[in-house]
Amino acid sequence: MKYLCVLFLFLVFVRISAQQDNYFEKWYNADECKLPQNTIKSIVKDKYGFIWLSTDNGIARFDGKNFLTYDVNLPSVENRTLLIEGSADDDWLFTFYNSGDIPSLISRRGFSVISDTNSSSFKQLKPHGAESLWKILKETSEKIKKGKYYFFITKKEFYYIDNYRLFYQKDGKSRFIRDLNGYTYFRFFILGDQLFYMRKPSLIEKIEKTGEIKECQTGITEKEDFEFFINTANKQLLIRNDNKVYVIEHKNNTILSTEICDSKTIKNVAITCMYYDHSTRTLILGTVSQGFLVVRENFINAYNTPDKTIFHAITPYNNKEVITGDGDIFNYNGYVKTFPFPNKDPYGILPLKNKPEFLLKSEHSLIFYAQGQAKTIRNFGKNTVVRGISSTIGNKIWISLKSDKDLIGYIIIENQKIIKEKFYAINVPVRGITQVNNDELLLAAHNGLYLFNEKKSTRKTLIKNRTFRSINNNGDHFFWIQTYGKGLYLYKDGKIYEPPQKNSVLSAVHSVIDDGIGYYWLSSNKGLFQVKKENFLNYYLHGNTAVYIHKYSRKDGLLTLEFNGGANINGLMHNGSIIFPSMNGMVYINARNAFPVTPGKDYYLDRIAINEKEKNISGILNLENNFGYVKIFVDYTNFGNQGNDYIEYRIDDNKWQPLSDSRVISINSLTNGNHEIHVRKLKDFSSDYNYKTLHVFVKPAFWETVLFRLSAIVLLLLIFYSFYKIRLKQIEKESLILNTKIDERTRELKETIGSLSKTREELYAQLYRQKKLVAAISHDIKSPLKFINMSTEILMDNTDDDCYEKKVIGSIKESSAQILEFIDSTITYNKIFIYDNHKTRENIMLRDFVFQRMRLFANTAEFKSIQIQNNIGKNDVLISNPDVLSIIIHNILDNAIKYTDQGFIYIYGITNECRYHLVIEDTGLGMSEEEISKLKQAEDFSGSRLGMKIVKELLPFIDVSFNIESKKGEGTKMILTFTG
């Protein structure tokens, strides 16, 4: 048993190691590529499909093959950049140098540093510099978190947070949405036109424009190794959870999390940023020091057996599995098992109608295999060789034989026996047989292509002196005939179509398989190809000049580019997959989930270099007579196989020639005059070209331009004079318009000044009435109360100490003193706003100051059996406004006594991190977390909360923040933090 377990583990290891990885992964770094630096800060795809990378050594544009690097080119400024932000859909991207001081703009596939501090672009972008820096650093200090942060939908539509207050702005109109206290700025992100907040991997908050917050579950369980990456410019949120990466999407008002990568490669990589391209299912990861990594999941998989890598004939085994001529069984997930087939010929296997029963081809015989048992059902003798077998219409199995003469024929099998056979002398060496109708068969032979009429027993030559090896048909009227290196032929309705033109891709095709969704897949000695069925047929039937054939490479999941042919079945469509045998693996293609990485749809001819000096042009290139050496860059993107770049060019009417791998058209000589450089690019999976023309004018030599110069001078004078006259009239017109506008603005200004004067007078009147009101309260209410207080003092002096009335009079005296103190506080509170005297500061001996406030509550505390302890140090001194601080402490003590019965109130001070914290702690009723949250966030206070409203309004005036710590039934702690 022990040895069986060891053997089992060994076979599992061998099988797993024989399969290829499910992902294509490629590193780009400064050591091996032209990436300027290995520290990647940001990765963004622009509107035109180019990838932009911000690094610690400049900005780089990546088109899938080449890097175009941009430097700051400013003295004493480092080439270090920050995040790339903005809106890619709006072709408006920006980043910063010098830690946010110098903005730069990415637009129209170009990059520019904005160093002019007076320019509108500089003034528009500069405020975002510090914001970009904090987003990189993810600084969590309270001062930074209170800053202003933007989240762009487009250039003119965005959200922004200002001191925890969320706003939405569109077309210059801004409106407040809600407060977001406690939220962290670097966790906000945009999906579409909606703002979200990543609370945790499993929970995302959707913040509606109405201010409503909806919680959305992602279904992601957070692992210990977790990171999230927000790509603001491309409106993406990506989450790495251990070695898996998820993209978060917002579709149909629902949050969806989709796993896009499961690779151990990213497990121990220090990732800084991510971008996911949905169209190609490509993930790009920037790192701290290793450059960037491109990861793409393969939809093509190649599988081997533990001891075999080369495969030939295949046929369906059941609904989910296929079997080879060697007895190897595969499904979409790989190798399953092997049957012990007795034959040594892997080139022929056919399924019989009673599954799973198979007919196997051997060198001199036919073998019947069923239920693990094999037997020779027909032996033709040592002098006869079985060339091929083929199942056709009905129950006939066609066979081609080689003996003293060449034969074809058929057998019929029932109950594991041959009940009928018939052969014809054909006199040609046939390898492939396919029935085209009830009477005719197409024969692929070593010396030609033939049509055999079974009913008449006649053979017709279609093509001679050409070596054919096999035929395949997809159940329609199109029959594809494969040759030995001479191209792919088509037979339809009695007519042969040769390859329209010499095409190296089609020279050695083994099989053409229809995926049922509009594409053909071709296996060959030179690789795997995909072509649109309609275009491919028109290429043959109507002689279209070109067709886009997509080439796949090892990057797409293949282990080899050499596929096998020569068998009776060289490829098939089965259970949603296209399957081909190859020289290294059984290749499975998930056709319905295929996402070929094609070149970008558009290309650009606006970047040139004259004698290595680059510049941008627009449609016309003017060159001096002795221009030297010109490079015309053809810019486009291709993040897949560079062999799929079908781009050609020609100068004037010369012959079309392919663009070089450098993507450059080089010119070192042209005659003077006008020229046209024509460029065409074959559209993806099409037969149509996208044409563009660059007009080139080469100036003639000076000795040839006497007449030209005279004419040019005259023309220039006429143009200048016309421009002068036109401009003069335009200036006069503009002057009239300007004067009119000045008059209008002057009238508007006068009206505005009048309105402001009137408003100022009204405000002065209101302020005067408020002052009179405060004075009235001070005189009309305080005077009687003072008289009562004085009267109680006289009464107390004339009353015996043991008398009950003296106690009553004492209570009246203390109550009237409390009312006076309350009125003084109220008057002080109003004076703070009326006279704006909250700005004054004094040295406050805090212990004595608090004792004075405690005296006001002595009776109430004694009545409720509450002990108030003042534990503030004798030497504790604060610089603050005594009026404001008095009101604040008064209201806090009032609340503490109100919600405490038979307990304690402790008042003490703590110095921590160079800040003084005044703590008022009670043992009262306490509050739940929900009540605390409501108390902190509420703006509308009423009833018992009025004192809290006064506290919250007054604290900012003396630069004091507060915090509440409380538990239900255990009391409340109010902490005042003095920042000064």
Side-chain angles (χ1 to χ4, degrees), residues 715-744:
L715 181 61
L716 186 62
L717 290 173
L718 290 173
I719 292 172
F720 179 81
Y721 179 77
S722 300
F723 176 81
Y724 170 77
K725 295 292 289 183
I726 293 170
R727 183 57 183 159
L728 189 61
K729 290 182 179 179
Q730 186 178 3
I731 291 172
E732 292 174 355
K733 184 178 180 180
E734 289 175 352
S735 178
L736 292 174
I737 294 172
L738 182 60
N739 289 332
T740 303
K741 287 185 176 181
I742 290 172
D743 294 337
E744 292 177 358

Short mmCIF file of all heavy atoms in Angstrom, two decimals, residues 715-744:
data_model
loop_
_atom_site.label_atom_id
_atom_site.label_comp_id
_atom_site.label_asym_id
_atom_site.label_seq_id
_atom_site.Cartn_x
_atom_site.Cartn_y
_atom_site.Cartn_z
N LEU A 715 2.98 87.42 -53.77
CA LEU A 715 1.85 86.77 -53.11
C LEU A 715 1.86 87.07 -51.61
O LEU A 715 0.81 87.33 -51.00
CB LEU A 715 1.93 85.25 -53.35
CG LEU A 715 0.81 84.40 -52.74
CD1 LEU A 715 -0.54 84.81 -53.31
CD2 LEU A 715 1.08 82.93 -53.00
N LEU A 716 3.05 87.07 -51.05
CA LEU A 716 3.17 87.34 -49.62
C LEU A 716 2.72 88.77 -49.29
O LEU A 716 2.04 89.01 -48.28
CB LEU A 716 4.62 87.12 -49.17
CG LEU A 716 4.89 87.22 -47.67
CD1 LEU A 716 4.12 86.16 -46.93
CD2 LEU A 716 6.38 87.10 -47.40
N LEU A 717 3.10 89.73 -50.16
CA LEU A 717 2.68 91.11 -49.94
C LEU A 717 1.16 91.24 -50.03
O LEU A 717 0.53 91.95 -49.22
CB LEU A 717 3.35 92.03 -50.97
CG LEU A 717 4.86 92.24 -50.79
CD1 LEU A 717 5.42 93.03 -51.97
CD2 LEU A 717 5.15 92.97 -49.47
N LEU A 718 0.58 90.56 -51.02
CA LEU A 718 -0.87 90.61 -51.16
C LEU A 718 -1.57 90.00 -49.94
O LEU A 718 -2.55 90.54 -49.43
CB LEU A 718 -1.30 89.87 -52.44
CG LEU A 718 -0.93 90.55 -53.76
CD1 LEU A 718 -1.27 89.64 -54.94
CD2 LEU A 718 -1.68 91.88 -53.90
N ILE A 719 -1.01 88.88 -49.50
CA ILE A 719 -1.61 88.21 -48.33
C ILE A 719 -1.47 89.10 -47.09
O ILE A 719 -2.41 89.25 -46.31
CB ILE A 719 -0.93 86.85 -48.10
CG1 ILE A 719 -1.29 85.89 -49.24
CG2 ILE A 719 -1.36 86.24 -46.76
CD1 ILE A 719 -0.53 84.58 -49.21
N PHE A 720 -0.28 89.70 -46.96
CA PHE A 720 -0.04 90.56 -45.80
C PHE A 720 -0.98 91.76 -45.81
O PHE A 720 -1.54 92.13 -44.78
CB PHE A 720 1.41 91.03 -45.78
CG PHE A 720 1.74 91.94 -44.64
CD1 PHE A 720 2.02 91.42 -43.38
CD2 PHE A 720 1.76 93.32 -44.80
CE1 PHE A 720 2.31 92.25 -42.32
CE2 PHE A 720 2.06 94.14 -43.74
CZ PHE A 720 2.33 93.62 -42.49
N TYR A 721 -1.12 92.36 -47.02
CA TYR A 721 -2.00 93.53 -47.13
C TYR A 721 -3.45 93.14 -46.84
O TYR A 721 -4.17 93.84 -46.11
CB TYR A 721 -1.89 94.13 -48.54
CG TYR A 721 -2.80 95.33 -48.74
CD1 TYR A 721 -2.46 96.58 -48.21
CD2 TYR A 721 -3.99 95.22 -49.46
CE1 TYR A 721 -3.30 97.68 -48.37
CE2 TYR A 721 -4.83 96.30 -49.63
CZ TYR A 721 -4.48 97.53 -49.08
OH TYR A 721 -5.30 98.61 -49.24
N SER A 722 -3.86 92.00 -47.39
CA SER A 722 -5.24 91.53 -47.14
C SER A 722 -5.45 91.25 -45.67
O SER A 722 -6.48 91.61 -45.09
CB SER A 722 -5.52 90.27 -47.97
OG SER A 722 -5.36 90.53 -49.34
N PHE A 723 -4.45 90.60 -45.08
CA PHE A 723 -4.54 90.30 -43.65
C PHE A 723 -4.60 91.58 -42.83
O PHE A 723 -5.35 91.70 -41.85
CB PHE A 723 -3.34 89.45 -43.23
CG PHE A 723 -3.30 89.17 -41.76
CD1 PHE A 723 -4.07 88.15 -41.22
CD2 PHE A 723 -2.50 89.92 -40.90
CE1 PHE A 723 -4.05 87.89 -39.86
CE2 PHE A 723 -2.47 89.66 -39.55
CZ PHE A 723 -3.25 88.66 -39.01
N TYR A 724 -3.78 92.56 -43.26
CA TYR A 724 -3.75 93.86 -42.56
C TYR A 724 -5.12 94.52 -42.62
O TYR A 724 -5.64 95.01 -41.60
CB TYR A 724 -2.68 94.76 -43.18
CG TYR A 724 -2.73 96.19 -42.70
CD1 TYR A 724 -2.23 96.54 -41.44
CD2 TYR A 724 -3.30 97.19 -43.50
CE1 TYR A 724 -2.29 97.84 -40.98
CE2 TYR A 724 -3.35 98.49 -43.05
CZ TYR A 724 -2.85 98.82 -41.79
OH TYR A 724 -2.92 100.10 -41.35
N LYS A 725 -5.74 94.53 -43.82
CA LYS A 725 -7.05 95.16 -43.99
C LYS A 725 -8.12 94.42 -43.18
O LYS A 725 -8.94 95.03 -42.51
CB LYS A 725 -7.43 95.20 -45.47
CG LYS A 725 -6.52 96.06 -46.33
CD LYS A 725 -6.66 97.54 -46.00
CE LYS A 725 -7.99 98.10 -46.47
NZ LYS A 725 -8.10 99.56 -46.23
N ILE A 726 -8.03 93.09 -43.30
CA ILE A 726 -9.03 92.28 -42.57
C ILE A 726 -8.86 92.48 -41.07
O ILE A 726 -9.84 92.64 -40.33
CB ILE A 726 -8.88 90.79 -42.95
CG1 ILE A 726 -9.28 90.59 -44.42
CG2 ILE A 726 -9.71 89.90 -42.04
CD1 ILE A 726 -8.94 89.21 -44.96
N ARG A 727 -7.61 92.48 -40.63
CA ARG A 727 -7.34 92.63 -39.20
C ARG A 727 -7.75 94.00 -38.70
O ARG A 727 -8.28 94.15 -37.58
CB ARG A 727 -5.84 92.39 -38.94
CG ARG A 727 -5.44 92.43 -37.48
CD ARG A 727 -6.22 91.42 -36.67
NE ARG A 727 -5.89 91.49 -35.26
CZ ARG A 727 -6.66 91.03 -34.30
NH1 ARG A 727 -7.82 90.45 -34.61
NH2 ARG A 727 -6.29 91.13 -33.04
N LEU A 728 -7.52 95.02 -39.54
CA LEU A 728 -7.90 96.38 -39.16
C LEU A 728 -9.41 96.48 -38.96
O LEU A 728 -9.89 97.06 -37.98
CB LEU A 728 -7.43 97.36 -40.24
CG LEU A 728 -7.56 98.85 -39.90
CD1 LEU A 728 -6.73 99.21 -38.69
CD2 LEU A 728 -7.13 99.70 -41.10
N LYS A 729 -10.15 95.88 -39.90
CA LYS A 729 -11.61 95.90 -39.77
C LYS A 729 -12.06 95.10 -38.54
O LYS A 729 -12.99 95.50 -37.83
CB LYS A 729 -12.26 95.34 -41.03
CG LYS A 729 -12.12 96.25 -42.25
CD LYS A 729 -12.83 95.65 -43.45
CE LYS A 729 -12.71 96.58 -44.66
NZ LYS A 729 -13.39 95.99 -45.85
N GLN A 730 -11.35 94.01 -38.31
CA GLN A 730 -11.70 93.18 -37.16
C GLN A 730 -11.44 93.92 -35.86
O GLN A 730 -12.23 93.83 -34.91
CB GLN A 730 -10.90 91.87 -37.20
CG GLN A 730 -11.29 90.87 -36.13
CD GLN A 730 -10.51 89.58 -36.25
OE1 GLN A 730 -9.64 89.46 -37.09
NE2 GLN A 730 -10.83 88.62 -35.39
N ILE A 731 -10.33 94.66 -35.80
CA ILE A 731 -10.00 95.43 -34.60
C ILE A 731 -11.05 96.50 -34.35
O ILE A 731 -11.47 96.73 -33.20
CB ILE A 731 -8.59 96.05 -34.72
CG1 ILE A 731 -7.53 94.94 -34.66
CG2 ILE A 731 -8.36 97.09 -33.63
CD1 ILE A 731 -6.13 95.43 -34.97
N GLU A 732 -11.46 97.18 -35.43
CA GLU A 732 -12.50 98.20 -35.28
C GLU A 732 -13.81 97.60 -34.75
O GLU A 732 -14.47 98.18 -33.89
CB GLU A 732 -12.74 98.89 -36.62
CG GLU A 732 -11.55 99.74 -37.09
CD GLU A 732 -11.76 100.31 -38.49
OE1 GLU A 732 -12.79 99.96 -39.11
OE2 GLU A 732 -10.92 101.09 -38.95
N LYS A 733 -14.14 96.46 -35.32
CA LYS A 733 -15.37 95.78 -34.88
C LYS A 733 -15.27 95.35 -33.42
O LYS A 733 -16.21 95.52 -32.64
CB LYS A 733 -15.63 94.58 -35.79
CG LYS A 733 -16.93 93.87 -35.50
CD LYS A 733 -17.14 92.73 -36.48
CE LYS A 733 -18.46 92.02 -36.19
NZ LYS A 733 -18.67 90.88 -37.14
N GLU A 734 -14.13 94.78 -33.08
CA GLU A 734 -13.92 94.33 -31.71
C GLU A 734 -13.93 95.50 -30.73
O GLU A 734 -14.37 95.38 -29.58
CB GLU A 734 -12.61 93.56 -31.59
CG GLU A 734 -12.65 92.20 -32.27
CD GLU A 734 -11.29 91.51 -32.24
OE1 GLU A 734 -10.31 92.17 -31.84
OE2 GLU A 734 -11.22 90.33 -32.63
N SER A 735 -13.40 96.66 -31.18
CA SER A 735 -13.39 97.85 -30.33
C SER A 735 -14.81 98.29 -30.00
O SER A 735 -15.11 98.65 -28.85
CB SER A 735 -12.61 98.97 -31.02
OG SER A 735 -12.61 100.13 -30.24
N LEU A 736 -15.69 98.27 -31.01
CA LEU A 736 -17.08 98.65 -30.77
C LEU A 736 -17.76 97.68 -29.79
O LEU A 736 -18.48 98.10 -28.88
CB LEU A 736 -17.85 98.67 -32.10
CG LEU A 736 -17.46 99.78 -33.09
CD1 LEU A 736 -18.18 99.59 -34.42
CD2 LEU A 736 -17.79 101.16 -32.51
N ILE A 737 -17.49 96.40 -30.01
CA ILE A 737 -18.09 95.39 -29.13
C ILE A 737 -17.58 95.56 -27.70
O ILE A 737 -18.32 95.46 -26.72
CB ILE A 737 -17.78 93.97 -29.65
CG1 ILE A 737 -18.48 93.75 -31.01
CG2 ILE A 737 -18.21 92.90 -28.65
CD1 ILE A 737 -18.08 92.46 -31.70
N LEU A 738 -16.26 95.85 -27.58
CA LEU A 738 -15.66 96.01 -26.27
C LEU A 738 -16.24 97.20 -25.53
O LEU A 738 -16.53 97.13 -24.33
CB LEU A 738 -14.14 96.15 -26.42
CG LEU A 738 -13.34 96.29 -25.12
CD1 LEU A 738 -13.53 95.06 -24.25
CD2 LEU A 738 -11.86 96.51 -25.44
N ASN A 739 -16.40 98.29 -26.23
CA ASN A 739 -16.97 99.49 -25.60
C ASN A 739 -18.40 99.23 -25.11
O ASN A 739 -18.80 99.68 -24.04
CB ASN A 739 -16.96 100.66 -26.58
CG ASN A 739 -15.54 101.18 -26.83
OD1 ASN A 739 -14.67 101.06 -25.96
ND2 ASN A 739 -15.30 101.74 -28.00
N THR A 740 -19.15 98.50 -25.93
CA THR A 740 -20.52 98.16 -25.54
C THR A 740 -20.54 97.32 -24.27
O THR A 740 -21.32 97.55 -23.35
CB THR A 740 -21.22 97.40 -26.68
OG1 THR A 740 -21.20 98.20 -27.87
CG2 THR A 740 -22.67 97.10 -26.30
N LYS A 741 -19.63 96.34 -24.23
CA LYS A 741 -19.57 95.47 -23.05
C LYS A 741 -19.12 96.23 -21.81
O LYS A 741 -19.61 95.98 -20.70
CB LYS A 741 -18.62 94.31 -23.31
CG LYS A 741 -19.18 93.27 -24.27
CD LYS A 741 -18.23 92.08 -24.40
CE LYS A 741 -18.84 91.01 -25.30
NZ LYS A 741 -17.95 89.83 -25.43
N ILE A 742 -18.20 97.19 -22.00
CA ILE A 742 -17.74 98.00 -20.86
C ILE A 742 -18.89 98.80 -20.29
O ILE A 742 -19.05 98.91 -19.06
CB ILE A 742 -16.58 98.92 -21.29
CG1 ILE A 742 -15.31 98.07 -21.56
CG2 ILE A 742 -16.29 99.96 -20.22
CD1 ILE A 742 -14.18 98.86 -22.17
N ASP A 743 -19.71 99.38 -21.17
CA ASP A 743 -20.87 100.15 -20.70
C ASP A 743 -21.84 99.26 -19.94
O ASP A 743 -22.37 99.64 -18.88
CB ASP A 743 -21.58 100.81 -21.90
CG ASP A 743 -20.71 101.87 -22.56
OD1 ASP A 743 -19.80 102.41 -21.88
OD2 ASP A 743 -20.97 102.17 -23.74
N GLU A 744 -22.07 98.06 -20.46
CA GLU A 744 -22.99 97.14 -19.78
C GLU A 744 -22.45 96.75 -18.41
O GLU A 744 -23.19 96.74 -17.41
CB GLU A 744 -23.21 95.89 -20.63
CG GLU A 744 -23.98 96.14 -21.91
CD GLU A 744 -24.10 94.88 -22.76
OE1 GLU A 744 -23.54 93.85 -22.35
OE2 GLU A 744 -24.75 94.94 -23.82
#
